[in-house]
Structures are given as structure tokens and as C-alpha cells.
Amino acid sequence: MDINSLLSPQDSPQVGPSSSKTTPKKPRKPRTTKITAPNKTSPTSRSSVPPPALAPHASYEASQQITTSPSLLHPASAMRKTAGGTPDGLRPVRQGSTPGMDTLADLASMQHHQQTTRANAGGLRSTEIYESQSSVNGPGLSSLHGPLPGRTALDHAMTDASSQAAPMRNLATKALSETDLETMMELINYLANDQFAYPSHIQLINLLHRGLRSHSQKYGRLPVYDLLPDLRNARETMNVRFAVGETLWVDWIEDEQSLATTFDECFAVMELCQKAVQEEPASTRLWSLYATWVASLYAAATSDTATLELIERVVDIPDWSDEDKLVATEVCSRQQLMDVWAHGAKATQWRIDQSHMLWDPYTKLLLQDLQRSPSSDGQSALKTHFLDRLQTPHETWDRTFQMFSSFISDYENQSYEGIMTTVNQQCAGSKGAYGAREVLELAVRRANEAENKELQISKFKEYIEWETAQSRRKHAFVFELVDILYQRALLCLPTTTELWDGYVMFLNEEIVSHSRPDVDLLPLLDRATRHCPWSGFLWSQYLLAAERQRMPFPDIGQIKHKATSTGLLDAGGLEEVLQVYVAWCSILRRRAFQEESTDEELDVAEVGIRSAIEDMQRLGESKYGNEFQGDLNYRLERIYIAYLTQSGNLHAARGAWKNLISSRGDSYEFWLRYHEWEMNARGEVSYSVNAAHAPSSPRPNEATKVLRTALKRPTLDWPEWIIQRLQEHCEHYEDAAEIQSASVQIWKAKIAVKQRREKEAIEAYAAAQTQPRRQMQSLNPETSADSAISFSSGKRKREDEVHELHDEAAKKPRGNEDRGIAEQAEVPPTVPTELRRDRENATVVVKNLPKQTTETRIRQYFRDCGTINGLVLSSEESTNTATAIIEFGSKEDRLTAQTKDMKDFDGQQIEVQVGSGSTVFVSNFPPMADEQWIRDKFAPSCDIVDVRFPSLKYNTHRRFCYVQFKTADQARKATGLHGQVVGDGLKLQVKISNPSKRQDRTGATQEGREIWVKNLDYAITERDLKAVFSRYGEVEKVRIPTSGAGKSKGFGFVTFLTKDEANASLDMNNTKLKSFIITVTIATPGGPAKRKATTVVGEDTRATASPSPDIQMTNGDHSRAASPARLAKEDNKPTFAEIKVRTVALLNVPDTVNDARIRAIAEPYGSLSKITLRPDHQGATVEYLNINDAGKAALGLDGYEITSGRFLGVGDMRDLLKQKAEKKQDKLGSEAGKKSNVPAFPPSAASVRRPTQLGAKRGARGGLSLISRGLVKKDVNRDGDDTDMTSQAGVQEGGGKSNADFKAMILGQKRDA
């Protein structure tokens, strides 16, 4: 339905020549002689800001009773009028129409204009619309400099809609090269077609500006730069369509200052400066240009050379005639000069980096006035001026203090010492405030000097986050500092929407949550939308702010029209346009149901909402054609439904829902929303029925029908949700008959869903198998001369794998081989990613706790702040209190905990401080160093709170730790050990921990250069595997893990030089290699291959020692492997059984313990052959050369305390593999409420496994201490002698020893030896 159909013929906008009217040009605004401040210098000022009431120079003027001409201080502003006599800005009244119909007509004309311009310009809008909406009110520079010589090329391009290219002029300038001139014309022609191309405007202006600078350096002012009219016109055009920005304003002003010769031209530059500071009120560069230009004009008019000496940068002004000087004296008076400097200093006073650029010269002028006309009032005002400055943080605080010292010395010397001492104490906080920000200021300055946009954004965001995190209760938070910091960031990055969004949200929060009535968002949002007119979020916030401040509805409509009339929102994507329409339609709906609303406002809302829906549909179809499916969340349609519901038209609202079924009916979320609306509508009906004394509420028949209709759609994405909702709905609201009927439908739907999911899984699997891959018939003979491996492409068709796929369809995929299916399945719940732990920024130190405080009590007190990852409690004997160091789950939790600073805790006021800077990073210590070694190294002079070693699960070669001290001073003192030589020539590394410099794990697996090859033929060697995959790129390394008998485990790893080569090798997936179809996937950290570290200790004994035990047991499929004993005999190696009995499995080993520490505790029991570290199973295996040594170690290491509170257990490989990877705990021993799998006490004796003797049977009653059925077991040692096991163990026939006796005997023998 089109909006024009709601209007009567006489009110409908006419299309055609008869309706076109020529709007007369508005006369130029009369020039005023008063130099005023910008209308709105910041969001915290609502109106034009006069000179401060207590400004020093104002007090001085008052004390001297200087009168100024009223015509100069309060000029009369003439009202601009149109040709018809109507004052400009007032809406003409239409006769014979109501105000509501006026609004409808306005909306219709807007819509018609939008449609026409889009049709004519391909989605781009006319410039005439935007020119009339520009906030720039004032004379153009072309009129200030006299008539331009003919039409410029830019004039032709911008005003002649029918021309396709601007006429080429005969340009004689030598300031630009021929290439630059061609580029200039190309840019002008491009802007003729796309008048809102922001980068092209910038490029054109910079090109012409560069030509002007080149011309001025070569020729001076004469001859005139012949492209000057084009440059001025380009800048004016840019200023109409976009915000110019600080950099372009500076270039513009400096160019005009260098060209100004007559008084009129100089005054025009002054007006240009005024425009610039109005648009960028926080720019010290623009204020400095403005103020120094006024000072230059004042000096030229009055010949006041003393004033010139106080200003560092003064522009040379050509000699004026006496008449010009007389006029300039009236316009640029001393009062006007002081007003400009006062406004500049006031607008930039919180810029702690550059505010001295305005404040220092202004103060020198004040001191000059006081010297010329001394007075007590002027002296008092200037003293207050100094004190205000000293209480404001700024970079040159010491210089300001020195200036104040000189001032006091000159005017109050008799009280000098007392005044300076008092002021120093009162203002020390502001000096410290700058000191706290100095590092951040330096980082921002360096980023700006580097001109790296990404770095600038990063440093400004870091600075802003720090500033906003300051405590409000302690008065450390200063609103003005945050406000000016955002403005500084936007001066450097004016088109970064992310910063504008953050600034707007910050001010919104201040208005809503902290009651700042002086903050006005409208001027800020006007600037933001001029800088970033492509941001739908900023325009939507502009509309909401206008509504909140009760702006007249036509003005709100004008804002919406400005947003949608330029075409820039379309360039940002339809989502940007949609955000504006959503805000606009929401305003229409709310306005329609206000208490004072009328029927006409209801009509306006309905027409506006429907028009927005139609406009979005047209725009989407014009951009994407028939592929456009509309808004997936149908936000405008939902606003329309809410409007209809609120107006009581439930039938029309239900019809709107039904109209959406064709486009949104496949989404379960749509049906749930539809059902929820029906239930709410039923509630309204129930209310009206009960009001009529009905016996009971009606049944929700329509709501039930919605869910049952949804279940009938075969293409519904997730019918499981609808099934669940229908069951709950019927149980709560329906009778038995309806429940039975729904149960039948639900039962059928479940069967259909099961069949559908199985079918989808099979199809996904088939699609994964038939993906394009390389077809290779044989290996290149040059690649491997010793292997003749052939392979062919094909699919695995084993039935058991198909059944496995069916079973796994509803489960989590078991391995990487199912990754493709898992990725293709669309599952509504999302899996949260694990965030990196940030202890340094999430830790607080709580001081002054009662000495008897317990950890549990502290946890209870801080439980509302967030998750507590760690807690360390210590006593302070000197103060008879306790101190707690608490690590929270995130930085946000830590900020919440800081709100408890100076709060009462069991009768005492506690201090909560940030714990950052108290942790050092220690590395390059000896491999066998443990926590006690670290504590002994640092303990003599520092109080150590905690020592943390890294987990070795993903890299067993990591050797560093974190040491946390009580205070940051102790941590800095500990860094004095940096570089100290320890161990075998190792230089200890000790540095303050910096989480921002923490690096991600690196390596082939983390970089995606390693592939995992599964289901290998057992006869394939590493050399064969390298030969197969070398055709895809350079192979760095090939590894095929082997079992204890040295046999391949059926999988391997291939590491390539680059990630692309590894991805290319995936073509080998599901191809036949020898007799097996292999699976090739990218290896992932923590994937199917568990990380372990094997240390071969006895290199010269490897002829009799073995590879690592078969910890994987070939997944239990022993039938696939040849006899390990036979293979070992063939290779002259010990059998698997021999290796097994002399290998000890250590249990409950922390994943922070390395192989060197295992060797240190295991080697005293005998000579070692090999150590295998298994942090993925909290254990390690130690292979001895002698079986007796293994038995001694099994007894001696059982119950050994390897770290504080962690005791070793001894078992076999089965016991080791049953242990899961360690999960980190906090200091209270609980892991997020889950039961820990790490025992806090020594394991029982039942877990001890004695080595089985050679030839003995393994059973529950076998072992070293008992002789099964009274028989003496014999075995053959390596020398071939029969050995009586009873004599070895010292066990007498007919009686057995206890475990304790056996252990004591073995240890006694060792001591005797």
C-alpha cells in the first residue's frame, strides 16, 4: 500500500512540470561585528556559551568600568526571509488541511522524492536535498573573495545533471603535472556521478591544495593560482556534504590566511575560523589558528607590538589603509581578542596534552592587562585563574606552577611561602593524575606520530578503558577527562564509527545512570552523522535522542529524511538502512499511543510504518534482485504487528503474522514468536471476557493451531523445539481430547525427525567422501627408489562405519574424521570458546582483614563479584591483620570487587587494591628446579605468595614459571636477579609479567602445517610416508609412533614447510595406500594424538632396551598386529613382556613436572633406560635396565610427595591410561563446582602394582610376596640360569611376608649395598 493512496487528490503531491517551483536563493546572512564562541563546544553545553562569568579578563574589565558599544557586544541578527516573505526556517501553512494531514503530505513528498532520485541516480540521492539540510549557515568563500572568473570545472560537474563529464578547461598552471591534472579531471567527473564519494572529495582537495602550496612557494601571491576557484569550490562542496575534519580545516584556514590581503578577506578568514571551531570544538590547532589570527588583526589595527611579542605564532598582515584600520579597531577590539582566547582556553582546558597551547598565551595576555592597569579585583581574578589551572591535570603542570610562583612573588611576596606550600598540597593530586596517565599519553603520541590507524585505535581504546575504569567513589573518575579523550580520538580518527559509537554510549550512560542533565547528545550526534553518514547506528541514536528531548515531530522526520536521502546508508549495507527505519518506526508507534495522541497520529504511524516496509523491500530488490529475502528477523514487520496489537486490531495483526509464513515459515524461531504473540493476544481477550463476567477464560485455540501448523511443515529447520513447546502448551492449557490429538501428531513428528536426521547424516557423509581430490595412479619413481606403493581413489563402504555414523549423528563427533559432518550440521546452541586466563589484570589484594578470617568467609564476602579462580590468605604479624590475594575470572569481576574498597568486613574497614605488577616471569632455570628451588632463590628478601609452573600437556619442553609476591615493590626488587648465572652456565631470566606481551603457542600443529594420517598399513615406514606426501610440498618431518615392540601403531604425522602445502595434502584423504584406505586431516592441539615426551637415558644400552610401551594397545584390536614377541626376536630386541616387567608407571604426576624432575627421583633406585612423560594422563613411565631396580622403585616411589600435597602412586599402564588430564584448581581445591580427579591424599596400598616376574602368571593372587598354590616359580635370567624366585625375594616356603615387611627388606638391602 503506497502512502499517496491515503491522501486526497488535492493534497497529493503533483508530479510533473506544473508542480515544480523554483525556490529563490536565500540572501546571505548579515555579517556581525562580534566574534562569538561556537554554538556548542561540547556535549556538556546546551546553548551558546558566553565568556565565562568569572573569566579573569572579564573581572578586570568590570573593575576598570570599561563600557563597550552595545552594537558590538549584542549585534542585532536580521531574520532571513524567503522570496515570499516567510521567515526562513518556518513551515508555510497549507490551507484547508489538518496538521495531521500536513504531516502525511510531508511524508508522502519525502517518499516520492526518495523514489524519484533513486530511480534517476541508481540509488544515489540529489545534492539539493542535502544542501538544504546542511548545518553550515554562512557566506561561501566564493562570495567573500569576489565573483569567480566563470564557472569552474567543479561547478559544471556538480550542478549540471545532464552532463556526463565536466568540460575540459585550458589550464596553464605549472603547479601540477600533467598526470595530476588528468587525475583532477577524473575525480571531478567521478564526483559528478557519485556526489557522496567521500574518499574522492578528500583526494581532490588534497591534490588542489598541494598545487596551491607548490604555486605559493614558487611564485608567492602573484600571479594568482588559476585552480584556486576549484580548490575553494571543492572545499565548500565537501563542507556541505560531510564534516571537513581537523586536518582539512587546518589546511583550509592556513591557505586562506596566506592569500588574504584586504580587510574583507581577513575578516572572511576570521569567520572561517569560527566555523571550524564550531565543528571541532576540542581542536587546539584550530583554536590556536583562530586566536592567533584575531591577535594578528588586532595588532595590525592598533600597532600594539607588545601584544605581538606575547603570541608565539603571528601571521603577517599586509598594510591596511587608515580607513581599514579604523574599521578593524572597532571589530577586533581588545575585548574581542580576550574573548576568543578565553573561549579557546575553556574549550580545551581538559586536554592534558595540548591545553597549554591556548592557556599559556591567554595567561600572558592577562598578566599584560594587569601590569598595564593594576587592581585588586584583577589580581584576585588572575590568582583564581592560576588555582583553577593547577587543579586541572595537564602536561606542563610544573611550568604553570613556576608561572604562579612568579605571580605570587610579584603581587603577594609577603605571604609567598605560606601560599606556595598550601597550593602545592592542594594541587598535588592533579599533578599525580597526569603522572598516572603519562605512559598512556606517550603510547597515544607515538601511535599518532607513526600514523598507523590500527595502532591509534588500539591505544586510544586502551586509554579510554583505563580512564572509564577509575573509581567514582574515590573521585578518581573525571567525566571531563573521558569526554575530552573521546574527542581527541575522534579528531585523529574522525571516520571511525567504532569510536563514535563508544562516545555516544558513554554519554548515554552518563545521562541515564549518573544524572548529568548538562549533557546534550544532539550536537554530538549531528557531528557524528556528518562525519559518518553511512552509520545506521548513529542515525538511529540521533532519532532516539531527538525523541527523548521532545524535539518537534517534523524536525525528527527531517533527521530521518537526512539519513535516508543521501544513499550513503545503502553503501554501508541494508543493515544500516534498516537500523534507521527500525528507530523511525518505533518512534511512530510510541507517538501514536501517547496520552495526548489523536486518531490522525495513529494514521500517521500506520502509514509511516507500512511505507518503511515497502521502501526497504524496494531497496533490497533494487540491490539484490529476486534473491532478496528481506530482513531475517523481520523487525519492521514486528513493529507493525505491535502497532496493530496495541491499537486493538488483532485480526489484522494475525493476518500480518500469516503473511510472513511464506518467507519465514521454515524458522522455528518464527513459530515460537508467533505462538508467544497468540498467547499474549489471548490474555487481552481473556481480560475483556472476564470483565463481562464470563465463567472462565477461553482456550488458546489459535495458539495451539500455530504450533500444530508449524509441525506440518516438512522444511522446518528444528522441529524439536516446536515439539517441546507443543507438549508444554497442551499440558498447561488444553483439555484431554486436544492433548490426545496433539500426542498423535507429536509421535509422528518425532519419527519423521529421526528419519530426517539419519538421512541428513548419511547425505553429509556421502558429500564429504565425494569431494574433489587428486587422482594419482602411482608414485614418481624418482621420489622413492626403494618403495613401490600404489594407491587409488575410492570410498570406504564398510557397513560398520555406516552404523557408527548413524549412532554418532545425535552425539558429539568422536574425532577429526567426523569434522565435516559436525560443521555442516546447523545446531542452535553455540559452544563457547575458552578464554585466555588473565591473572595479572583479574587479581586484587585485600588488606586489613581480621586476623582470624578464613578463606571460606572471604569467598562468601566476594561471591557476588564473580568467579574466584584462586585465593591465597596470609597473616601480617606487624599489623595483626590478614591479607588476601584473590584472582577473579575476568577483569570485569575484578572491577566489581574494587567497589568493596573501604567497606566494612566483620567490623574492620578493608582495602581492595589492584594486584597487577606483583608477578614476575622466571625462565632459564635448571631443568630439575622445583617450587622449593624457586622459593629458596627469591625468599631471602621477598614474601612469595604463589609459584605457578605451566602445564606441559601441549608442550613438554616448557620451562618457566610465574612467581607472585605480596607487593609490586617486592616484584621489582626480585628482578635484580635477572641475568644471574645458575646451574650449568644458565643465565636466569626474571621480568615483570606483562599479559599483553604473552604469545600464543607456536609450532607446526598450532600453525596448521602438520597433518594426521590415520589407518596406515603396518608395513609402511616413515620413508615411504615421506615419499607419498613429498609431491604436495617440502616435508620437514615424518613421525610414525610405534608400540613397545617397535611396531607401527597405524597412524603418523607429516609436517610441511607451509600451511598451504598441508592443506593441499588433504587430497589424499580417503585414498587407498597399499592395502588400507587412509584418513588425512589437519592435526590439532589436543587432538587424537596425545602429547608425550620420551627421554632416552641409556643411549649405549638401546640394543637391549626397548621403545616406549604400547600405551595405545592398538585400540584393543590385537588381531591386527603381528606377534610382538616374534618381531622382537627377529630384531634381536627384548620382548614386550620383558620391557613391561621392568617398567614402572608413576601415577598422580602433576602436569607441571618435567622429565628431568622424574629422572631426579627415579634414578637413585637404579640405572634407567627410558623415561616417558604423560601429562595427558597425569603420569609417567620409567623403564629400568634391571628388573630388581624396577621393583625397588615401585616400592620406594609409592606415596612419594613430588609437590606440596601431591603424592605419587605406582601402577601399570592400564592404571595410567585410566587417569584423565589434570584440570586446574583454585587454592581451595575446587574446580568451578566440579569434583576434582586429583587426590589430595596418598593413594592406598591397593593401588601398588608389583612387577610380575618372568615366567610367572599374572593374577589377583600372584606377585612377589605370595607363592601361588605352594609352587616355587622359576624363570630364566638373561644369562640362561634357572633362578628360584623365592630366593630372589627372600620368601620362605610355607609362609609369606606382608607388604610392609617386603618394602623394609628391599630398602634395607639397598642401604647395605
Side-chain angles (χ1 to χ4, degrees), residues 12 29 110 153 228 428 565 684 1181:
S12 299
K29 181 179 178 180
M110 289 181 186
L228 180 61
S565 62
E684 296 184 8
T1181 59

Side-chain angles (χ1 to χ4, degrees), residues 525-542:
L525 287 166
D526 181 65
R527 286 174 51 211
T529 51
R530 277 176 54 77
H531 278 289
C532 303
W534 47 80
S535 172
F537 175 80
L538 293 175
W539 283 110
S540 63
Q541 290 297 316
Y542 197 179

Side-chain angles (χ1 to χ4, degrees), residues 169-186:
R169 303 205 321 266
N170 184 17
L171 300 174
T173 181
K174 296 182 181 179
L176 293 177
S177 64
E178 292 296 330
T179 304
D180 289 339
L181 291 174
E182 292 177 1
T183 303
M184 182 194 75
M185 295 309 302
E186 290 175 359

Side-chain angles (χ1 to χ4, degrees), residues 606-841:
E606 181 173 7
V607 169
I609 296 173
R610 296 184 67 171
S611 174
I613 294 173
E614 294 172 1
D615 201 26
M616 276 301 303
Q617 186 66 29
R618 276 193 300 269
L619 186 59
E621 290 175 353
S622 65
K623 195 165 187 177
Y624 300 105
N626 296 331
E627 297 179 358
F628 179 67
Q629 299 297 323
D631 177 21
L632 295 179
N633 294 315
Y634 43 96
R635 282 164 281 184
L636 294 179
E637 289 82 356
R638 282 157 55 192
I639 293 175
Y640 184 47
I641 291 172
Y643 162 80
L644 294 173
T645 304
Q646 209 167 350
S647 61
N649 194 350
L650 298 182
H651 179 73
R654 186 174 289 112
W657 278 112
K658 293 179 179 179
N659 291 336
L660 289 171
I661 292 177
S662 59
S663 58
R664 299 289 172 262
D666 290 341
S667 170
Y668 77 97
E669 292 180 339
F670 165 79
W671 292 102
L672 294 181
R673 284 172 175 162
Y674 188 3
H675 170 261
E676 184 179 357
W677 179 87
E678 285 289 0
M679 293 302 296
N680 292 334
R682 176 241 184 194
E684 296 184 8
V685 173
S686 300
Y687 177 80
S688 61
V689 170
N690 289 332
H693 308 287
S696 61
S697 301
R699 285 169 45 202
N701 295 332
E702 292 293 337
T704 307
K705 188 187 300 182
V706 167
L707 295 177
R708 300 192 69 168
T709 303
L711 273 186
K712 294 178 182 179
R713 292 185 68 89
T715 55
L716 187 63
D717 52 359
W718 289 98
E720 294 89 341
W721 291 90
I722 305 299
I723 291 174
Q724 180 182 353
R725 178 67 65 88
L726 181 58
Q727 286 177 326
E728 296 173 353
H729 172 84
C730 292
E731 288 172 0
H732 286 95
Y733 302 106
E734 292 293 355
D735 55 17
E738 186 64 32
I739 292 175
Q740 281 187 329
S741 176
S743 299
V744 174
Q745 186 179 9
I746 290 172
W747 177 73
K748 292 181 179 180
K750 287 182 177 180
I751 295 175
V753 169
K754 182 180 179 181
Q755 294 174 350
R756 173 181 167 185
R757 297 303 180 210
E758 291 177 352
K759 181 180 178 183
E760 289 173 352
I762 294 174
E763 291 175 350
Y765 178 77
Q769 304 307 308
T770 57
Q771 61 181 347
R773 61 174 62 90
R774 297 184 181 180
Q775 304 294 325
M776 293 179 291
Q777 301 300 326
S778 62
L779 288 174
N780 188 342
E782 299 177 357
T783 305
S784 176
D786 300 328
S787 61
I789 306 173
S790 62
F791 50 90
S792 61
S793 61
K795 294 189 300 180
R796 304 181 68 175
K797 300 182 179 179
R798 297 186 303 180
E799 290 296 326
D800 56 344
E801 291 200 2
V802 177
H803 290 302
E804 268 188 337
L805 182 62
H806 291 178
D807 295 337
E808 291 295 308
K811 301 178 184 178
K812 181 180 178 180
R814 295 181 297 180
N816 286 0
E817 62 269 22
D818 297 326
R819 186 190 306 170
I821 298 174
E823 289 178 352
Q824 292 179 23
E826 182 184 353
V827 183
T830 58
V831 182
T833 56
E834 184 179 356
L835 299 178
R836 173 172 288 178
R837 198 166 180 177
D838 188 5
R839 291 183 176 92
E840 281 69 23
N841 292 322

Side-chain angles (χ1 to χ4, degrees), residues 299-362:
T302 61
S303 301
D304 189 348
T305 57
T307 299
L308 286 177
E309 294 176 356
L310 299 178
I311 309 300
E312 296 179 359
R313 179 184 179 275
V314 180
V315 182
D316 293 333
I317 303 296
D319 293 334
W320 289 341
S321 63
D322 294 339
E323 183 181 357
D324 287 343
K325 287 184 178 181
L326 181 62
V327 176
T329 302
E330 296 179 357
V331 175
C332 302
S333 64
R334 182 76 178 189
Q335 178 69 29
Q336 301 289 355
L337 170 67
M338 300 301 290
D339 284 349
V340 173
W341 282 103
H343 280 97
K346 182 69 176 176
T348 61
Q349 66 171 336
W350 290 101
R351 283 204 58 169
I352 63 178
D353 61 328
Q354 294 180 353
S355 57
H356 58 276
M357 293 174 59
L358 276 301
W359 190 90
D360 288 357
Y362 177 44

